[in-house]
Amino acid sequence: MAKVVNHHHSALGLPLGGPVLPSGVETEVKRWNIIKGHAVVKAWLQARVIEEVGSDEPAQPEPAPGPSPEPLDDELTALRSEYQEKVGKRAYHGWNVEALKAKIAEANDAAAEDATELP
């Protein structure tokens, strides 16, 4: 829980189910560690519209970064480049090696049909 003061000329309602802060009055705010992370509250704090004057909540540690993405397979990278050269646009990022091979084969078949249709 934290105590927050509203410096605005009128009352402000905190998002995420927070209380209404009357103007110029210290107000106890439960779940402040959650509420202060909301974009609107961050903007109000930065602009000094509201101010945290006391807190009995321990600071929450920063979340650990997620796992780093795995490097792309060399074959997948090569097939994406080949697809882009043949089709003229980038390959869909969700396609795996087998799907790219099939799409490249389709592009080759279409190019072969176009070549046979010429007079």
Side-chain angles (χ1 to χ4, degrees):
M1 189 175 326
K3 290 185 179 179
V4 179
V5 175
N6 172 9
H7 297 295
H8 194 264
H9 60 81
S10 63
L12 295 172
L14 292 176
L16 302 174
V20 173
L21 303 176
S23 181
V25 178
E26 278 189 18
T27 306
E28 289 189 1
V29 179
K30 295 178 183 175
R31 302 180 322 121
W32 176 245
N33 278 342
I34 296 169
I35 293 171
K36 73 180 178 183
H38 190 277
V40 170
V41 176
K42 285 181 179 180
W44 286 346
L45 287 166
Q46 185 177 10
R48 299 183 184 189
V49 173
I50 61 173
E51 175 185 9
E52 180 180 357
V53 292
S55 177
D56 59 2
E57 294 181 0
Q60 291 182 347
E62 290 292 320
S68 59
E70 294 181 22
L72 290 177
D73 183 69
D74 290 338
E75 183 180 13
L76 183 60
T77 303
L79 287 169
R80 286 180 175 171
S81 295
E82 183 180 349
Y83 178 85
Q84 187 168 1
E85 289 173 17
K86 292 202 182 292
V87 178
K89 60 183 181 178
R90 293 175 58 186
Y92 173 64
H93 64 85
W95 289 341
N96 59 16
V97 170
E98 292 78 24
L100 276 167
K101 286 180 179 178
K103 295 290 182 179
I104 291 169
E106 289 174 20
N108 286 338
D109 292 345
E113 286 178 18
D114 289 345
T116 59
E117 292 178 6
L118 293 176

